[in-house]
Amino acid sequence: MAASLNSSESDRSSLGGQSASSRSNNRSLRVAEKERRRNEAEDPFVLALKYFSVVEAGTPVVGNDDFENNLVLVERTAYSQGLSPEAISIMLEFAMSLRMGTAPCARVLKCLIPASVVPQEAVVRAAVWLSVGKIPISTQVLFIKWVLTVFDMIDAKDQLRAIYGFIFSFVTEENLCPFICHLLYLLTQKESVRVYRVRKLLELQSKLGRQPFLLHLLSLYKVFCPELVTLSIPSRMRGAFRNHVSPWKAALTAVQKRNGSLAGSSVSPALAVRDKSGSRKRKHCHLQLPALTSVASDGARSEQTSSRTLVPLAHLQSFDQLLKNVHRIELPAQMGSLLGSSVALQYLDCIQDESALLRLNFWLGCALHEEFLFCGDGATQTSEALQFLSRLLSAQHFLQEGFSSSDAFLYKFLNVWDGSLLRPQILCLLSNIPVIPSSQIRKLLFEPLTQLFFTSSLFFKCGLVECLNNMLLKWLTWHSVYALEDDLDISLNSHTSLNITLSGFKDSVMELIHFVGHLASVGLQLEGCHALLLSFVLDFYETVCDTFLKFGLPLVVMPPAGVFYPAFFATDPVSVDRLAHIMHRYKVNLTSAKRQEKQKEAFHISRQTFQEFNHCVVFMVNCLWNSRMFYPGSDVQPGEELLLGSGVPRYWASFDFIHHPAFVSYALDFHQKCWPSRKEMDLSSIKDSKPWSWYLDYLFSQGFDGLKDFLKSNISRQAAAVDEQQR
Amino acid sequence: MEQTNASVTRTPLDSVAVKRKSKSRSYRQSYRSCLGVASRLGLTPARRLTTNRKAPESHNITVNPEHLALLVKNEWQLAYVTPLHQFRHTQLRSYARHLSAFVVAEKQQGLAVEVSGLQNGFKASMTVVQGMSEADDDPETVLIQIHSKPLFSRPDDPQKLVWSGWLTCINGNPEYLHSLPKDFTCLPLFVYKGAENLSSLVKSWVQRTFDCCFGPLELSQTSLQWLAALWTNCHAESNIQHLRMLWTLPSAPPLQVTYAVDPHDVWELWGSVRKGSWGDGAGEARWIDLEEVASFMQSLKSHFYRHFKLDLSAGILNQVSTALGSARFNGRIKISNSAYVITTLTLLTECALLKMPI
């Protein structure tokens, strides 16, 4: 019924608009309207509302059947569908004006369940009645409780904020105070925090003692104006205002559910109560994130900021609020607190103020230094450190770059690190280090890392290679992003702080690749070419071989022999396949680089790189395809007598596709499938032209895509056929 | 290598406008990852204590005698502070009000306190110590004091000084001070004494208000040796009475060695290790070299070895004391003679600056 009233209302207004524009519009509409009005006039609910709006002051309640019937009607509608905004206005006005005395007042208030929104004007008018009429205190409390319950449904808050001072005056009413404080908490803005209000509340505090409601309101005042009031909330006083009336709440949600709209739950203040659990045990708690608090503005500073009102970051709770206020956000008192909140992190991403970032870096650097470098007793609490570092890492991950203080810390820490303390976190931090000029990279990074690498376990070696791979990837990505931006040729110059030239960047990358190549060669030797380490090394070279095409960096560096041969002679087919894939990508990169080199002299790739590449490819093809392991000019050329003395039959063919230890099982399998009836195993029969191509297809069907690409790009079948005939 | 160095330059901050970039390709890293100050300091190899410093001269510093007396008569705990953000020497009165309110609020958990109101429990004051700075770049020293009234005292009883602390910077490295943006004030050395809980309250207030960090400042072996040598060097002007050193040797159980040397002997020993024109007061002799300090300590140790067959090099120097002052490994120091305050504080400022994370 309320809904029907709603719609008729809106119809009426729209009709009014129409009649103004086109008066001669069809009569039928007007007739229909009349009809509806007549229907409405008969609607008992509308009649009931009419009764309450016009009932005269002083009408008796006792024995008044009209009143009783109408109120029951309203109540029934309220609990089933909720009341429309107009109905709320009428009933609220009726109750608070005490036209029929105080008796029905509470009863009416209890049934004020809004269907959609509560008009602000009604609330303001009712608040005014508070001071005029002689409403009993219990009913006043009931009214404020009702406002608190439906606060989120009030359609606007500007007029309510305008009478902030008026509402504040009720704070002295002892019974109302807790509820008024809650209401004020919901309405407070920076402008509303005044010295005399603070004094009033403090006066109350001295009268009433430590009351949570006063403290919570004052703590909000502190968020806005820390220069006026200060306090510290004990951790046991956690509960915020508990003023909701559950029957109302339940009725409200029931009505909302029925109407299919669920308004946001009422504002429950989130208070920054310092979490002291655990920290008390520790003497130094550097790893605690500071709380988000606002700056106490004083003298000089408040003059600057008075021109535009700033919003303290501590007051923002959602990304929406952040977006709305992004032009007038006030940085918190302690920059380190930004790391603790996700909204603040979003904001950190757009801060360009050098001082602000320097503050953050001082805090972060100090925390890291104190915890990991200066702590004499070495009693690092791992769980806390772990939590801190993971938070730092997630922030860095979000911002997609590291903080300079954590870099500076790492350069020192690497020299004293044992390689096992918080290894995953430290390695992850390490991979976020930005490009280091090649003149310093050795001292800062390579020297400590070399020591760690050669004195640590296999797993550390793998972790380090992975970390350096990530570092390289980040450097290259950074390059490709900025190289792309350079093509656009405009940029916001304010971001500039440190410039590196292209050649400087290339030098650094080259140093890094050579360094990893060196580590990998020696590491593989030390660990007996362990398959796990080899896999991480190949990961690294998968990044390296594609620097030109994937990241647009004109640089091609071949793997050293210490990586190439272990990978090729590996006993697992996956490594060989990945090596083939890497060589294939090298070829694609080199050919496309060569093509570009011809077009424009963008860069020059040295002959030596090509020679190294050719050398590797020729070796692989000769071994795998031609069964000519030893040929003049190859790296591996033992004396003839030595080979004969070894007693290996057909030694020149021991690393072709059939006899390579990585593939011999496939060859056997293929042999059985191809000639199931044969009793004697004769692997060399696969070498014949037809079975050979079947065999290759069989290998490719096993998922060796790297080999497939490698063969496709390096061997033309015709040449292969000729080769075959020669043999 | 040369080229890369040359290309690492900072662009002026004020060029915010969108502008065409020069044709030569260059990369940018955002402020966050490469701050001007940070990157320069971060990339340089570890900073070290200076290897030579001026010999102490007796200064007639023009400091309020009351302040000087306070500084001289007590033993102090040392800490370092990262640069203070938005600190104004002109705002000390209002800072003091805030600090008082903060201390009272923290002492009475769950009770809000008006900042501008008069606190009856604790009263903090902050004052500039005129004359307590040496170089032109040094910011003025700030003295923080907290007075309190005992709980059961008569209303007309005077308030008692319960806590005091100094924020100071004497002869701070000018390069470092200049590298900081204008809104930072570097007072790296924090010297304090008083109840532990008040100390931590003051620290946490300063941390919150000026967004800085505190850390304990221990005195390294080298710093202690420097102090021993510097104090010994003053013997000609002011009697040091004794040079006493406390060593801990890593034996089981640990062996404590107190090694006291007669002032004349130690003065002669010091004279023998001094290089250059000794004693004539020429400019050369005014500088003391780390090598001289090292050989001074070595001579002391070998003398000890000759008598007791114990090599002190294996142990840890815990404490050094003379009539001019005493210093302990854990960062407690006492300066007994006001004439050499500046020398000692210069060394301590340097130690504090070395602790800066960036």
Side-chain angles (χ1 to χ4, degrees):
Chain A
M1 260 179 252
S4 77
L5 189 79
N6 256 341
S7 64
S8 70
E9 193 67 18
S10 62
D11 279 358
R12 219 175 296 152
S13 64
S14 70
L15 266 179
Q18 254 183 2
S19 63
S21 59
S22 54
R23 197 159 302 173
S24 61
N25 222 331
N26 47 6
R27 280 182 59 208
S28 59
L29 252 178
R30 231 177 298 155
V31 171
E33 172 69 1
K34 229 176 232 168
E35 186 83 0
R36 198 181 303 154
R37 283 217 177 147
R38 198 176 306 131
N39 285 344
E40 264 171 26
E42 287 155 15
D43 183 345
F45 178 66
V46 176
L47 287 176
L49 282 183
K50 201 166 180 192
Y51 171 82
F52 286 114
S53 61
V54 299
V55 67
E56 275 186 33
T59 316
V61 179
V62 184
N64 186 341
D65 283 350
D66 266 0
F67 165 78
E68 187 60 33
N69 290 341
N70 284 327
L71 190 55
V72 166
L73 201 61
V74 171
E75 275 175 342
R76 202 184 300 138
T77 315
Y79 286 119
S80 60
Q81 294 159 350
L83 297 178
S84 66
E86 295 75 27
I88 296 260
S89 298
I90 292 169
M91 294 311 290
L92 196 58
E93 177 70 15
F94 166 76
M96 299 299 283
S97 63
L98 300 182
R99 254 179 278 171
M100 292 175 76
T102 55
C105 192
R107 194 171 156 199
V108 171
L109 276 176
K110 275 178 192 157
C111 74
L112 286 182
I113 314 292
S116 51
V117 295
V118 176
Q120 182 184 215
E121 287 82 4
V123 181
V124 172
R125 279 185 70 86
V128 173
W129 281 115
L130 272 186
S131 63
V132 176
K134 297 183 187 65
I135 307 173
I137 285 293
S138 61
T139 317
Q140 289 186 15
V141 170
L142 195 64
F143 167 67
I144 303 290
K145 277 183 174 176
W146 175 77
V147 176
L148 289 173
T149 313
V150 299
F151 188 80
D152 285 341
M153 307 179 79
I154 300 176
D155 53 2
K157 317 269 174 3
D158 53 319
Q159 292 181 25
L160 274 173
R161 292 204 169 107
I163 59 163
Y164 189 92
F166 178 73
I167 298 175
F168 190 90
S169 65
F170 289 102
V171 105
T172 46
E173 204 75 52
E174 210 165 309
N175 294 314
L176 278 182
C177 187
F179 311 101
I180 289 291
C181 281
H182 189 182
L183 184 56
L184 290 174
Y185 186 98
L186 298 177
L187 290 173
T188 301
Q189 281 182 321
K190 191 168 181 153
E191 309 74 274
S192 24
V193 183
R194 293 290 158 81
V195 190
Y196 53 88
R197 288 188 186 138
V198 172
R199 294 220 171 111
K200 190 90 218 163
L201 291 176
L202 290 175
E203 200 181 287
L204 278 172
Q205 179 186 256
S206 59
K207 215 164 74 189
L208 303 176
R210 300 169 197 213
Q211 298 298 343
F213 48 88
L214 284 175
L215 261 194
H216 287 306
L217 181 58
L218 280 165
S219 74
L220 184 64
Y221 279 21
K222 190 189 164 201
V223 168
F224 286 114
C225 297
E227 67 275 12
L228 289 182
V229 64
T230 183
L231 75 164
S232 109
I233 293 182
S235 43
R236 64 194 145 77
M237 206 184 276
R238 247 162 211 287
F241 306 99
R242 279 181 297 256
N243 294 330
H244 297 303
V245 183
S246 39
W248 256 332
K249 256 317 201 200
L252 199 60
T253 33
V255 165
Q256 279 176 345
K257 214 177 267 172
R258 223 167 289 144
N259 293 357
S261 68
L262 216 79
S265 64
S266 182
V267 186
S268 54
L271 273 176
V273 179
R274 261 187 304 151
D275 195 11
K276 282 196 175 161
S277 57
S279 66
R280 206 171 278 166
K281 281 175 249 152
R282 305 204 56 199
K283 207 168 154 199
H284 314 294
C285 37
H286 301 284
L287 296 187
Q288 231 178 351
L289 287 187
L292 258 182
T293 49
S294 31
V295 188
S297 57
D298 253 320
R301 253 186 291 169
S302 61
E303 278 163 33
Q304 295 168 9
T305 55
S306 60
S307 53
R308 58 205 181 105
T309 46
L310 291 177
V311 178
L313 198 52
H315 195 56
L316 300 179
Q317 253 141 37
S318 69
F319 186 64
D320 277 347
Q321 288 175 322
L322 177 76
L323 272 189
K324 264 180 222 153
N325 297 302
V326 78
H327 56 289
R328 51 186 190 125
I329 282 177
E330 181 189 61
L331 285 172
Q334 285 172 284
M335 284 295 290
S337 55
L338 289 188
L339 291 192
S341 116
S342 55
V343 176
L345 262 188
Q346 306 267 7
Y347 187 60
L348 180 61
D349 202 25
C350 35
I351 295 179
Q352 293 191 359
D353 175 10
E354 193 186 8
S355 301
L357 294 169
L358 198 53
R359 280 156 67 194
L360 179 63
N361 274 303
F362 271 126
W363 169 79
L364 181 62
C366 198
L368 289 170
H369 277 79
E370 279 297 330
E371 192 62 32
F372 298 104
L373 281 174
F374 298 154
C375 56
D377 46 357
T380 307
Q381 298 235 334
T382 348
S383 66
E384 237 173 285
L386 189 73
Q387 207 183 354
F388 181 80
L389 289 183
S390 343
R391 179 159 274 175
L392 175 62
L393 280 171
S394 73
Q396 292 196 348
H397 182 74
F398 175 79
L399 301 167
Q400 297 188 358
E401 69 188 334
F403 297 102
S404 55
S405 57
S406 80
D407 303 339
F409 158 74
L410 280 174
Y411 299 145
K412 290 181 208 161
F413 185 64
L414 286 182
N415 291 300
V416 296
W417 189 34
D418 62 356
S420 69
L421 177 76
L422 297 164
R423 184 195 298 159
Q425 285 75 24
I426 298 291
L427 285 180
C428 202
L429 274 184
L430 189 62
S431 71
N432 283 336
I433 285 187
V435 184
I436 309 172
S438 59
S439 56
Q440 283 154 323
I441 199 168
R442 185 162 295 281
K443 178 112 194 68
L444 290 177
L445 216 57
F446 296 167
E447 281 177 12
L449 285 183
T450 314
Q451 267 195 358
L452 279 168
F453 185 83
F454 289 122
T455 53
S456 301
S457 67
L458 170 71
F459 298 103
F460 179 83
K461 292 189 173 88
C462 294
L464 185 64
V465 173
E466 189 196 16
C467 154
L468 293 172
N469 184 23
N470 287 336
M471 187 190 289
L472 179 66
L473 268 175
K474 280 168 193 167
W475 289 10
L476 291 172
T477 313
W478 174 74
H479 160 83
S480 64
V481 168
Y482 281 98
L484 195 72
E485 202 174 284
D486 274 3
D487 290 340
L488 295 174
D489 217 347
I490 54 164
S491 64
L492 275 171
N493 204 39
S494 63
H495 255 291
T496 317
S497 174
L498 184 87
N499 289 339
I500 294 183
T501 56
L502 177 62
S503 72
F505 176 73
K506 246 166 79 173
D507 285 348
S508 296
V509 170
M510 205 142 76
E511 289 268 344
L512 179 64
I513 295 175
H514 283 316
F515 173 64
V516 177
H518 168 69
L519 284 189
S521 315
V522 187
L524 282 171
Q525 224 167 38
L526 279 177
E527 301 291 344
C529 301
H530 200 283
L532 193 62
L533 181 59
L534 186 59
S535 157
F536 281 102
V537 171
L538 289 175
D539 275 344
F540 181 77
Y541 278 98
E542 270 178 14
T543 312
V544 173
C545 68
D546 253 346
T547 43
F548 178 63
L549 282 181
K550 252 191 192 159
F551 303 98
L553 182 71
L555 180 74
V556 180
V557 183
M558 296 300 297
V563 172
F564 175 77
Y565 288 107
F568 180 75
F569 293 129
T571 48
D572 58 314
V574 178
S575 298
V576 182
D577 178 61
R578 291 182 70 189
L579 180 69
H581 171 72
I582 289 169
M583 294 316 284
H584 164 68
R585 291 303 303 174
Y586 267 123
K587 178 161 190 176
V588 175
N589 273 266
L590 281 170
T591 43
S592 109
K594 189 128 196 160
R595 212 175 303 127
Q596 282 205 8
E597 197 176 353
K598 271 177 199 154
Q599 281 170 6
K600 46 182 180 173
E601 283 176 42
F603 62 96
H604 179 72
I605 286 180
S606 74
R607 281 175 64 86
Q608 208 198 330
T609 310
F610 282 106
Q611 274 171 3
E612 278 172 28
F613 170 76
N614 286 336
H615 196 83
C616 292
V617 170
V618 168
F619 179 79
M620 278 179 79
V621 172
N622 268 331
C623 276
L624 290 173
W625 191 273
N626 294 338
S627 309
R628 272 168 54 201
M629 181 147 179
F630 308 105
Y631 57 94
S634 79
D635 286 339
V636 201
Q637 268 181 294
E640 192 78 14
E641 310 86 58
L642 198 66
L643 288 167
L644 286 172
S646 70
V648 179
R650 291 170 53 82
Y651 54 80
W652 54 87
S654 9
F655 282 95
D656 62 10
F657 267 128
I658 301 165
H659 299 95
H660 193 295
F663 298 108
V664 72
S665 62
Y666 290 93
L668 291 173
D669 193 35
F670 173 77
H671 189 274
Q672 266 178 356
K673 278 187 181 145
C674 203
W675 300 287
S677 51
R678 272 202 211 172
K679 289 280 175 291
E680 271 172 44
M681 190 66 82
D682 179 20
L683 286 181
S684 43
S685 61
I686 303 176
K687 273 271 164 181
D688 296 332
S689 172
K690 257 229 173 91
W692 179 248
S693 63
W694 290 342
Y695 176 58
L696 289 181
D697 287 341
Y698 167 73
L699 276 184
F700 298 157
S701 74
Q702 302 295 312
F704 294 121
D705 292 339
L707 284 172
K708 191 175 173 182
D709 292 336
F710 177 77
L711 291 184
K712 210 181 268 173
S713 66
N714 286 304
I715 293 175
S716 59
R717 278 304 177 98
Q718 256 180 346
V722 170
D723 211 49
E724 198 67 20
Q725 280 165 7
Q726 278 178 347
R727 238 183 300 151
Chain B
M1 305 251 176
E2 286 291 303
Q3 272 182 339
T4 9
N5 269 342
S7 69
V8 182
T9 47
R10 288 180 68 197
T11 48
L13 288 177
D14 48 356
S15 59
V16 189
V18 177
K19 70 174 195 184
R20 275 181 78 85
K21 289 219 331 276
S22 58
K23 275 292 156 200
S24 69
R25 277 199 152 194
S26 65
Y27 296 79
R28 274 143 299 118
Q29 298 191 332
S30 84
Y31 268 152
R32 243 188 338 259
S33 59
C34 273
L35 290 165
V37 188
S39 60
R40 231 175 318 124
L41 294 171
L43 294 180
T44 50
R47 286 164 280 159
R48 294 214 154 73
L49 221 56
T50 7
T51 52
N52 64 355
R53 58 184 71 241
K54 245 179 161 168
E57 299 163 54
S58 75
H59 277 68
N60 281 321
I61 43 173
T62 52
V63 177
N64 183 345
E66 206 178 302
H67 290 160
L68 206 57
L70 177 72
L71 182 62
V72 165
K73 75 173 183 217
N74 293 301
E75 192 183 41
W76 302 89
Q77 179 70 48
L78 300 174
Y80 73 94
V81 201
T82 60
L84 311 177
H85 182 246
Q86 293 282 14
F87 177 86
R88 302 254 183 288
H89 280 89
T90 50
Q91 298 281 317
L92 291 182
R93 285 166 67 90
S94 110
Y95 293 155
R97 267 208 318 275
H98 278 266
L99 179 57
S100 313
F102 180 79
V103 169
V104 173
E106 289 286 328
K107 285 268 177 192
Q108 306 180 309
Q109 292 272 309
L111 212 58
V113 176
E114 189 189 352
V115 168
S116 52
L118 263 176
Q119 314 304 339
N120 40 18
F122 293 89
K123 188 180 180 325
S125 68
M126 287 171 86
T127 37
V128 173
V129 182
Q130 298 286 348
M132 267 280 273
S133 59
E134 185 67 359
D136 294 339
D137 300 318
D138 294 342
E140 294 276 3
T141 300
V142 174
L143 171 64
I144 307 171
Q145 285 175 303
I146 296 179
H147 288 86
S148 154
K149 235 174 213 184
L151 210 51
F152 305 103
S153 63
R154 275 172 294 163
D156 54 337
D157 273 352
Q159 289 196 318
K160 236 178 81 188
L161 178 65
V162 289
W163 190 92
S164 41
W166 308 66
L167 282 164
T168 184
C169 175
I170 307 288
N171 283 320
N173 179 358
E175 215 174 291
Y176 187 83
L177 297 183
H178 284 299
S179 70
L180 293 170
K182 278 217 167 52
D183 42 358
F184 285 92
T185 308
C186 192
L187 289 165
L189 183 61
F190 183 54
V191 188
Y192 62 96
K193 71 162 185 73
E196 184 70 35
N197 59 349
L198 274 179
S199 306
S200 60
L201 282 185
V202 173
K203 281 185 195 171
S204 87
W205 178 80
V206 175
Q207 259 170 15
R208 288 173 197 198
T209 315
F210 307 112
D211 202 357
C212 57
C213 301
F214 285 83
L217 180 63
E218 297 98 9
L219 292 172
S220 67
Q221 298 285 295
T222 322
S223 313
L224 287 175
Q225 294 178 2
W226 262 113
L227 280 172
L230 288 174
W231 281 330
T232 306
N233 195 60
C234 300
H235 183 64
E237 297 170 27
S238 147
N239 192 354
I240 60 167
Q241 292 181 11
H242 55 82
L243 172 66
R244 187 175 291 137
M245 289 168 289
L246 202 70
W247 297 79
T248 307
L249 291 173
S251 58
L255 192 62
Q256 291 273 353
V257 176
T258 311
Y259 183 5
V261 194
D262 179 79
H264 302 293
D265 296 348
V266 78
W267 173 248
E268 276 195 8
L269 179 65
W270 177 240
S272 71
V273 299
R274 286 285 273 152
K275 294 183 288 189
S277 45
W278 160 251
D280 60 357
E284 296 278 312
R286 292 268 154 236
W287 287 90
I288 299 174
D289 208 65
L290 181 62
E291 275 174 42
E292 293 168 325
V293 178
S295 59
F296 174 59
M297 289 316 282
Q298 196 46 53
S299 317
L300 284 170
K301 285 177 198 167
S302 53
H303 178 75
F304 192 84
Y305 183 77
R306 227 171 292 135
H307 286 279
F308 302 101
K309 294 287 174 280
L310 267 178
D311 192 357
L312 293 177
S313 323
I316 297 165
L317 180 56
N318 270 331
Q319 190 180 346
V320 174
S321 66
T322 67
L324 300 184
S326 75
R328 270 196 259 170
F329 173 69
N330 60 5
R332 295 189 79 86
I333 195 158
K334 183 169 179 168
I335 306 172
S336 314
N337 190 326
S338 62
Y340 305 104
V341 164
I342 294 293
T343 312
T344 313
L345 288 182
T346 304
L347 178 72
L348 295 179
T349 303
E350 205 178 309
C351 294
L353 279 177
L354 286 181
K355 285 268 200 172
M356 295 293 135
I358 44 177

